[in-house]
Every structure is written in structure tokens, then in C-alpha cells.
Amino acid sequence: MSHDADDIKVIAHRGASGVFPENTIAAIQAAYEMKVDFIEIDVHQTADKKVVVIHDKTVDRTTNGNGKVGELSIEYIRSLDAGLWKDKSFAGEKVPLLEEVFPFIDNNTQLLLEIKKGDDFYPGIEENILNILLEHNMLDKVIIQSFYPEVLVRLNTLNPELRLHQLLVLYAPGLPFHIDTSPRFRNLKTLDFVEQVNIYSKFAFRPVINNLRKNNFGTFVWTINEVKDLKKFMNKPINGIITDYPERMLDLKKD
């Protein structure tokens, strides 16, 4: 691998979620012990305003419970099993609180935190997350990403020191058009406070990456799992790769 490939960050998607149950302490700890550069997680907010680490807006797919996170209490969510769906060896894993992830975050392994829904869906979630980060002195170890520009604008207004990334499915170089959760006609330069634009691998063409770089945006590409695809993207001018199998990428970096 070239020097540039060596510099590409390894980002463990929902922890080491290829092998371990996603967004659980088991997956997060495994990624941390691999010494990845970033651990990526997703957060939602409970009915009693606790920030929990889970991908879906419901608990149905990854726990033995059911219901929408925003309508459930933390007591109920914490009573659920979040590991059994993956394998019986992971029985007993819980849906973590955001702050329970912090012991696995340091200056070497940082946190890439995705806010799945903003204030219009979970009242006060951006401020709640910021307060948790400040309380635990984690501001300099966390990057927040979201598909929703309004979430990033709100966060930047709350605290301009926050490091922020915009998630996109598709970006049209040279045109004021992109797709995040829906098509938008908007110039990305309006998000000049954002460090990076992180894009879906299917649309991470070299001209797209080069255009982002030209406009002073770095990029992480998501989600790449197969070795042949990891090799291909490790030779592109990107900043990092988000993968369910960080161990595969780390092995390639050793070659």
C-alpha cells in the first residue's frame, strides 16, 4: 500500500458490526481493541430524553422488544436484549447510553457520532448530546455527522467548536444539487463550517472526491466491506473508509 493509503482512517461502522452485534458495547470494545481510528455509532432519544446508541428508530430489529425509541422509556429499553438477534453467544448485551461508549474513546480512537433524527423529531436532542459531551470532556474526541443539514446548523449555532460532517448519498459536482435523505437544491458552500462530506460508496467517483477536495471538504466513504472494494478505495484520495469489518482493512494496511 502507498503512503496515502496508509493515512486513510479506519472507521468501525456501528463498532465491529460484521462480527459483533451492532452498536453494542461488545462491538465497540472489539473495535477499540483493534485500535481503529474511529468508532462510528448512531443515536436516538428515548421518551424520557436519554440518548441511546441504536441505529433504527424502533427497537424491533436489533432487540427482543418492540416500539419506537422516542416513545419508550429508558427503563424499558435497558431491559431488552440487544445481542441475541446476532448470535446466542451475545445474549445479555444491552442498548448502551451514549456516555457508556466514552471509556472506549481516547486520543487514538475517536468517536464518529451520527444523529439519526434532529430536534423536530426528538425535542432537544442536539443540546442534550452537546451537554453530555461537555460533561464528560469529550468535545475534542468526537465528530458529529448527520444527513440533515438543519441538525448541523443547529449544532454549529449551539457550539462552533463542534467538529461536524455532512452525510450524503449522492453529490453532483459543480451543481447545487445533492441527495441526503431527499433531493435538495442547495450549494454545499452554505455548510462551510463542516469539515467533511461523507458519501455513499456507490457514488464516490473520483471526480466527486476531487471536487469535494477542491472545495476544501475531506470525505469518508461508506460502507465498504469486501476486500477487493477496500483495496480499490484505499487507492483513492479519501480521508477514511467506514466498514463493518475494520479487521479486514487493518490487515490490508499491514501488507
Side-chain angles (χ1 to χ4, degrees), residues 149-167:
E150 53 271 24
V151 169
L152 300 175
V153 169
R154 198 174 294 125
L155 286 164
N156 185 61
T157 301
L158 286 169
N159 191 321
E161 292 182 23
L162 283 167
R163 299 164 64 198
L164 304 171
H165 290 186
Q166 170 73 53
L167 276 163

Side-chain angles (χ1 to χ4, degrees), residues 6-214:
D6 289 340
D7 290 341
I8 293 175
K9 304 298 185 188
V10 180
I11 303 127
H13 186 231
R14 310 178 196 172
S17 61
V19 176
F20 297 83
E22 65 180 60
N23 280 320
T24 62
I25 294 301
I28 290 160
Q29 182 172 354
Y32 177 75
E33 289 175 355
M34 291 177 198
K35 300 183 179 178
V36 300
D37 298 296
F38 285 90
I39 295 170
E40 187 268 354
I41 63 168
D42 311 279
V43 294
H44 290 266
Q45 185 170 269
T46 67
D48 38 1
K49 296 192 182 301
K50 298 296 183 182
V51 180
V52 289
V53 182
I54 189 169
H55 179 271
D56 299 356
K57 66 180 179 181
T58 72
V59 299
D60 299 35
R61 179 177 64 88
T62 57
T63 78
N64 59 342
N66 58 75
K68 294 179 180 178
V69 175
E71 296 175 357
L72 301 173
S73 70
I74 188 62
E75 183 180 11
Y76 173 74
I77 289 175
R78 295 288 277 177
S79 75
L80 303 176
D81 191 302
L84 197 55
W85 69 274
K86 185 76 169 177
D87 188 87
K88 62 183 180 182
S89 64
F90 299 119
E93 285 293 321
K94 302 297 182 187
V95 175
L97 289 158
L98 171 57
E99 50 266 43
E100 290 179 318
V101 176
F102 295 160
F104 306 99
I105 303 302
D106 55 29
N107 290 328
N108 297 312
T109 297
Q110 300 200 359
L111 184 65
L112 182 61
L113 186 162
E114 182 182 346
I115 299 179
K116 302 302 290 187
K117 294 281 190 178
D119 180 80
D120 59 332
F121 196 88
Y122 296 122
I125 187 170
E126 294 95 343
E127 194 162 7
N128 288 346
I129 289 169
L130 176 59
N131 288 338
I132 292 167
L133 296 181
L134 289 170
E135 181 184 346
H136 293 269
N137 196 29
M138 295 296 293
L139 214 61
D140 61 339
K141 298 179 180 66
V142 176
I143 294 172
I144 298 178
Q145 64 176 358
S146 181
F147 280 103
Y148 298 93
E150 53 271 24
V151 169
L152 300 175
V153 169
R154 198 174 294 125
L155 286 164
N156 185 61
T157 301
L158 286 169
N159 191 321
E161 292 182 23
L162 283 167
R163 299 164 64 198
L164 304 171
H165 290 186
Q166 170 73 53
L167 276 163
L168 292 185
V169 174
L170 180 146
Y171 169 60
L175 297 175
F177 172 79
H178 63 261
I179 298 174
D180 40 54
T181 55
S182 59
R184 295 189 193 235
F185 288 91
R186 177 177 186 159
N187 195 321
L188 284 182
K189 289 179 181 177
T190 60
L191 295 173
D192 58 357
F193 56 86
V194 170
E195 286 183 5
Q196 291 193 181
V197 174
N198 300 336
I199 53 178
Y200 182 33
S201 60
K202 280 194 176 179
F203 301 108
F205 307 118
R206 194 172 287 267
V208 172
I209 295 164
N210 289 340
N211 186 269
L212 289 171
R213 288 167 67 90
K214 179 182 171 184

